[in-house]
Amino acid sequence: MQKSWRSVMLLCLILVMTGVLFVGCTQKAPNQPTTATIPEGELDPAVWGKVYPDHYASYLKQKEQTKGNSKFGGSLPESHLKESPAQVKLFAGYPFSEDYNEERGHIWALEDVINTQRIGPKTISSCWNCKSPNVKPLVDKMGDTFWATPFLELKDQIKHPIACANCHDPKTMALAITSIPLLDALKTRGIDPVKFSRQEMRTMVCAQCHVEYYFKPDNKKVTFPWKYGLKMDDAEKLYEELNFKDWDHKESQAPMLKAQHPDYELFSTGVHAANGVACADCHMPYVKQGQTKISSHHLQSPLNHISQSCQTCHKQSEEYLKNQVIGTQETVFKTKVLLETALSDAIDAITIAAKNPAAKADMMTQARSLHRKAGWRWDFVSSENSMGWHSPKEALRILGEGIDMARQAQLKANLAVGAAVEGAAGADAGKTPGAGTSVEAAGPETTPKQ
Ligand code: HEC
Ligand code: HEC
Ligand code: HEC
Ligand code: HEC
């Protein structure tokens, strides 16, 4: 009798405990979806937000615009051209000399691409690529005709800025690569994306967009120059092979390359990548949102949450870590300014030499080629978003090479006329008007990136 009473008590206790546990679980499990599901093909983040309200609330914080703790980054759309006027000259003849702002939160991506003065009637749809989850379904429908379609023609079909569907599979919520150019690039390199570990995916979803790219000359498709590897030199090797140029410099007439935010590539050469640290470790740390802890979807400068971003691995103080970042950035910035001065001097020397009809054509070609290479090095670091911090040694190596090449360009241009002047006593001095001003043909017509 007593025994069965005890069993009943025990059973009740177990039932109550399980109940408590169960209730506790449902309250504690932060990322359990509610009963609602995300319809297949849904692109609107507000609809995903009904199932994941905390993640959506975190995502909406990207609207905030502040300099925060940054010196060189931050979420204010400040003009790079005002911050560094030398850039107007370095980009002469290219739309970036007219309008070039600091980037801000993903949620602004559509507004910013539509409003930039770099967009015109000749702009193509490739420029939508990194701005919206609407791109993939459109390419699935239109095939490779998508890329060269006029930008404004598809404006009504591009409805949402970068959102959940760019990085997640709506059924499983697993991270997903949805960028067609990244899938292509991985194929070129013989990498199977299915084999990425979870930690690798926490970087690869960012490598969908935070990378260098060019438009393939035949169909204008966004393409990553990864054939020979991820380094600055590897991309340059491919561009040389393709005879690729983005524009002719208005003053020096050199066939120039424009770099596009190679964040992933520069990062890949650094100490954190070597230690398996992912973009999301620093830019999407676990934070408290509402009642729960989630991966922050307010992607921004890690300097605004050093404790969550860095102190999970580093035991130094916040102040030390912040100064470490900004101190490193200042070193890179100063070296970058040295290269800007060297490039500016090279442009002047080439422009002046080109006015001299006796300038030696081969030397002028070499000077322009050096200008192209030095400009590429400058822009690779300059357009990367962390002011070199993602891989400081590599950034400084690239800038160092750039300074040397820009000064060599200046020297060659001076020699081209110096040599010509010396030879002026000779019979045919002055008989070759225009020599040296001739622009080298840069192979197939290529389309500038915008
Ligand atoms: C070890 C930490 C860490 C990792 C990992 C990391 N970053 Fe950063 N990132 C930073 C810091 C620090 C800055 C500089 C922020 C500043 O200047 O305010 C930065 C800056 C940026 C910026 C500019 C932010 C701004 O406010 O202007 C972007 C974009 C960015 N990183 C993208 C990436 C991508 C993409 C990856 C992976 C390929 C990555 N980061 C990996 C720490 C990291
Ligand atoms: C730029 C890429 C990106 C976008 C856009 C994005 N996420 Fe995430 N999300 C991530 C990453 C990275 C993680 C961490 C995944 C991991 O650690 O496996 C994550 C994790 C999650 C998780 C798992 C729980 C957690 O907090 O780690 C949920 C749920 C989620 N995201 C929902 C959303 C929703 C809803 C949206 C749109 C409002 C969204 N995400 C937009 C990259 C993204
Ligand atoms: C679909 C393309 C896309 C993906 C995927 C993407 N980004 Fe971005 N990211 C952008 C664009 C475009 C901007 C600039 C938006 C603007 O200025 O309007 C940006 C801006 C940023 C910024 C600057 C925010 C600020 O406030 O200044 C950071 C930091 C950042 N991204 C980090 C990441 C990280 C980390 C990942 C991966 C988890 C990632 N991004 C994935 C396209 C993307
Ligand atoms: C997931 C772990 C992890 C996170 C998060 C992380 N780091 Fe690191 N960090 C490392 C490791 C590992 C190393 C390499 C240590 C070594 O080689 O001795 C490193 C190296 C460094 C170094 C030395 C760099 C060099 O050139 O030797 C600095 C400085 C640094 N981290 C700062 C930061 C800052 C600032 C943040 C946040 C924005 C951060 N780290 C976030 C793991 C991390």
Side-chain angles (χ1 to χ4, degrees):
M1 199 62 195
Q2 262 226 328
K3 217 175 165 195
S4 67
W5 175 238
R6 240 195 247 157
S7 321
V8 172
M9 284 282 280
L10 201 67
L11 192 71
C12 284
L13 198 69
I14 288 170
L15 279 176
V16 169
M17 291 278 286
T18 343
V20 167
L21 269 178
F22 188 71
V23 171
C25 274
T26 41
Q27 277 177 351
K28 257 171 105 189
N31 307 312
Q32 286 294 308
T34 59
T35 44
T37 52
I38 300 158
E40 205 175 323
E42 181 59 60
L43 304 173
D44 184 350
V47 177
W48 292 55
K50 292 207 174 98
V51 187
Y52 298 101
D54 290 332
H55 291 81
Y56 186 54
S58 176
Y59 167 85
L60 288 179
K61 287 189 187 161
Q62 291 174 15
K63 285 192 180 155
E64 271 174 31
Q65 296 187 62
T66 134
K67 190 78 185 161
N69 289 326
S70 295
K71 177 159 181 192
F72 296 97
S75 316
L76 290 176
E78 296 165 308
S79 170
H80 283 303
L81 301 176
K82 276 195 199 127
E83 157 198 300
S84 176
Q87 300 202 13
V88 176
K89 180 167 173 181
L90 305 194
F91 284 132
Y94 198 58
F96 272 85
S97 68
E98 288 149 31
D99 183 19
Y100 183 18
N101 287 347
E102 164 72 16
E103 87 294 356
R104 48 181 176 162
H106 286 168
I107 210 160
W108 294 104
L110 271 193
E111 196 161 311
D112 288 346
V113 74
I114 290 165
N115 290 337
T116 170
Q117 293 161 29
R118 299 198 304 267
I119 295 290
K122 279 168 116 183
T123 306
I124 53 176
S125 288
S126 295
C127 297
W128 292 118
N129 183 57
C130 269
K131 314 292 189 272
S132 167
N134 291 97
V135 170
K136 175 139 195 318
L138 274 170
V139 179
D140 288 345
K141 199 170 85 189
M142 297 170 66
D144 282 344
T145 60
F146 169 85
W147 313 100
T149 305
F151 181 85
L152 295 171
E153 213 168 274
L154 294 177
K155 195 169 169 225
D156 296 339
Q157 299 188 58
I158 306 276
K159 296 200 167 74
H160 307 288
I162 301 163
C164 326
N166 280 102
C167 301
H168 289 288
D169 174 335
K171 263 209 194 105
T172 62
M173 283 313 280
L175 292 178
I177 295 175
T178 58
S179 152
I180 291 159
L182 176 58
L183 291 169
D184 288 353
L186 291 171
K187 209 184 227 171
T188 311
R189 299 187 63 215
I191 297 170
D192 179 0
V194 178
K195 297 207 177 110
F196 283 132
S197 66
R198 173 181 164 208
Q199 182 65 359
E200 284 170 323
M201 283 301 280
R202 287 162 54 85
T203 290
M204 293 319 289
V205 288
C206 316
Q208 300 189 98
C209 304
H210 288 265
V211 288
E212 162 65 11
Y213 64 85
Y214 67 105
F215 296 155
K216 230 171 128 221
D218 55 352
N219 59 9
K220 311 298 178 213
K221 186 174 190 174
V222 174
T223 309
F224 304 170
W226 290 1
K227 182 174 165 194
Y228 296 114
L230 293 178
K231 292 181 83 171
M232 173 280 292
D233 319 66
D234 297 322
E236 184 179 50
K237 184 174 167 193
L238 181 67
Y239 287 145
E240 292 299 318
E241 185 180 289
L242 296 174
N243 248 327
F244 193 88
K245 67 172 173 179
D246 282 294
W247 91 105
D248 288 318
H249 195 273
K250 202 172 160 190
E251 294 175 30
S252 82
Q253 304 300 329
M256 302 297 288
L257 295 169
K258 173 81 196 78
Q260 328 286 325
H261 42 70
D263 302 340
Y264 167 68
E265 292 91 335
L266 186 71
F267 172 76
S268 297
T269 65
V271 70
H272 284 103
N275 283 278
V277 183
C279 314
D281 288 327
C282 294
H283 288 282
M284 300 183 71
Y286 286 108
V287 293
K288 202 162 182 294
Q289 175 68 48
Q291 300 295 329
T292 59
K293 269 202 143 183
I294 62 165
S295 301
S296 171
H297 280 59
H298 178 190
L299 289 91
Q300 58 169 329
S301 164
L303 296 183
N304 298 331
H305 36 66
I306 291 174
S307 60
Q308 291 102 328
S309 286
C310 318
Q311 288 178 327
T312 42
C313 298
H314 294 287
K315 297 302 159 223
Q316 296 96 330
S317 70
E318 286 198 29
E319 198 56 23
Y320 173 89
L321 289 162
K322 180 182 150 194
N323 290 338
Q324 210 292 327
V325 171
I326 291 178
T328 301
Q329 290 177 320
E330 275 168 345
T331 307
V332 173
F333 180 76
K334 280 184 198 149
T335 314
K336 186 172 86 90
V337 171
L338 289 179
L339 176 49
E340 284 166 10
T341 310
L343 275 164
S344 174
D345 291 349
I347 292 167
D348 288 347
I350 296 171
T351 312
I352 290 167
K355 290 194 182 118
N356 186 332
K360 289 213 162 142
D362 57 337
M363 284 196 180
M364 292 302 287
T365 305
Q366 287 165 7
R368 290 191 177 103
S369 161
L370 284 159
H371 175 205
R372 165 183 164 100
K373 284 170 155 285
W376 163 246
R377 279 159 180 73
W378 166 73
D379 206 13
F380 196 91
V381 175
S382 187
S383 68
E384 202 274 342
N385 279 303
S386 71
M387 191 55 77
W389 195 81
H390 288 140
S391 185
K393 278 181 224 155
E394 176 70 352
L396 290 169
R397 173 188 80 89
I398 293 171
L399 292 173
E401 273 190 25
I403 294 169
D404 178 47
M405 286 168 166
R407 290 299 175 199
Q408 282 191 51
Q410 181 186 8
L411 207 61
K412 277 277 180 243
N414 287 342
L415 278 174
V417 282
V421 169
E422 250 168 47
D428 41 32
K431 275 192 194 160
T432 47
T437 46
S438 71
V439 183
E440 300 314 307
E445 199 40 47
T446 50
T447 306
K449 294 160 287 199
Q450 303 187 355

